[in-house]
Amino acid sequence: DTEVTQTPKHLVMGMTNKKSLKCEQHMGHRAMYWYKQKAKKPPELMFVYSYEKLSINESVPSRFSPECPNSSLLNLHLHALQPEDSALYLCASSLGPAGVGGELFFGEGSRLTVL
Amino acid sequence: GQNIDQPTEMTATEGAIVQINCTYQTSGFNGLFWYQQHAGEAPTFLSYNVLDGLEEKGRFSSFLSRSKGYSYLLLKELQMKDSASYLCAVMGDSWGKFQFGAGTQVVVTP
């Protein structure tokens, strides 16, 4: 299994809603990432979890709250978002600091629209 | 500061060769990665360089010169399906912190 699975694929939410994005991988990877990507722009790093601990937070607003319940799962909890948060949210995983290489395996993404 | 530069767009004919250059200035260096991204899809990994030299993988090759802060991705025998954005990404001195270039849109014409 070389897949990173993200759900939902599409999400529309109002500015007062609370929703969550979910990500799962079963490749034994120990690092998981959230990226945000706007149209025709490169992915922007949001959070990195290494061995289930948050290791990087790129000064992301608190309305985005990551959670890593175990080594296979990564969630992104969304609350009180703004229309400018509308984007493709990509989850990725990699072997982790002890692994050679470190290339990212990306999920298909969750396309979020905030009304 | 950290900076990764690559051309915005390149056009080439089916069957030809295209070279996409990437220059970088980062705090530390722990590897350079190339990804392909088709419109509306997630990026997929193409190649990885951490030592100077050429890495070859089928029709795709990638080169790195750390002293020059320079890499290129070479796409040979271009096919229509190679039309995509190609992203150069560098891992600097913070493990896991990849910085992506803006991407090079390659257009393959018949």
Side-chain angles (χ1 to χ4, degrees):
Chain A
D1 185 357
T2 57
E3 281 191 348
V4 177
T5 305
Q6 288 188 244
T7 54
K9 289 194 176 1
H10 299 275
L11 178 63
V12 179
M13 60 187 290
M15 289 190 283
T16 57
N17 292 158
K18 278 186 183 181
K19 297 284 184 184
S20 297
L21 305 180
K22 297 185 183 301
C23 176
E24 191 168 359
Q25 58 87 15
H26 296 288
M27 294 180 277
H29 288 174
R30 302 313 301 269
M32 296 186 78
Y33 309 72
W34 281 114
Y35 281 86
K36 173 183 177 180
Q37 188 175 29
K38 293 269 202 179
K40 299 191 187 302
K41 298 287 187 185
E44 294 175 30
L45 182 63
M46 300 175 72
F47 303 104
V48 181
Y49 274 82
S50 178
Y51 294 93
E52 297 144 61
K53 292 196 177 347
L54 183 64
S55 60
I56 297 176
N57 176 345
E58 288 287 88
S59 303
V60 179
S62 60
R63 58 186 185 267
F64 295 92
S65 174
E67 178 197 18
C68 189
N70 60 53
S71 60
S72 299
L73 294 174
L74 184 67
N75 299 322
L76 186 63
H77 303 299
L78 314 170
H79 175 51
L81 295 193
Q82 304 295 311
E84 58 265 29
D85 296 322
S86 298
L88 181 68
Y89 288 84
L90 291 164
C91 174
S93 69
S94 70
L95 281 168
V100 176
E103 63 266 28
L104 297 171
F105 291 76
F106 283 92
E108 295 286 320
S110 293
R111 188 162 297 284
L112 174 67
T113 302
V114 182
L115 301 176
Chain B
Q2 306 206 107
N3 204 35
I4 300 179
D5 288 316
Q6 47 181 132
T8 304
E9 184 169 315
M10 303 182 76
T11 300
T13 308
E14 201 173 6
I17 297 173
V18 71
Q19 178 175 315
I20 307 168
N21 296 325
C22 171
T23 58
Y24 63 90
Q25 289 176 305
T26 56
S27 303
F29 180 81
N30 278 293
L32 186 143
F33 301 77
W34 284 95
Y35 291 85
Q36 179 192 61
Q37 187 173 26
H38 286 100
E41 297 181 11
T44 54
F45 169 73
L46 290 178
S47 71
Y48 163 67
N49 295 74
V50 67
L51 299 176
D52 290 353
L54 188 68
E55 293 285 337
E56 298 192 79
K57 264 184 158 187
R59 294 189 298 115
F60 296 168
S61 304
S62 58
F63 171 83
L64 174 68
S65 168
R66 288 172 297 170
S67 62
K68 294 185 174 143
Y70 167 71
S71 173
Y72 67 72
L73 179 70
L74 197 68
L75 284 63
K76 294 177 266 191
E77 301 168 18
L78 277 174
Q79 301 175 9
M80 298 299 291
K81 67 178 181 180
D82 297 328
S83 291
S85 180
Y86 290 84
L87 299 158
C88 172
V90 176
M91 190 191 301
D93 54 10
S94 293
W95 187 91
K97 191 167 180 176
F98 294 85
Q99 183 173 351
F100 281 82
T104 298
Q105 185 66 43
V106 170
V107 178
V108 181
T109 59

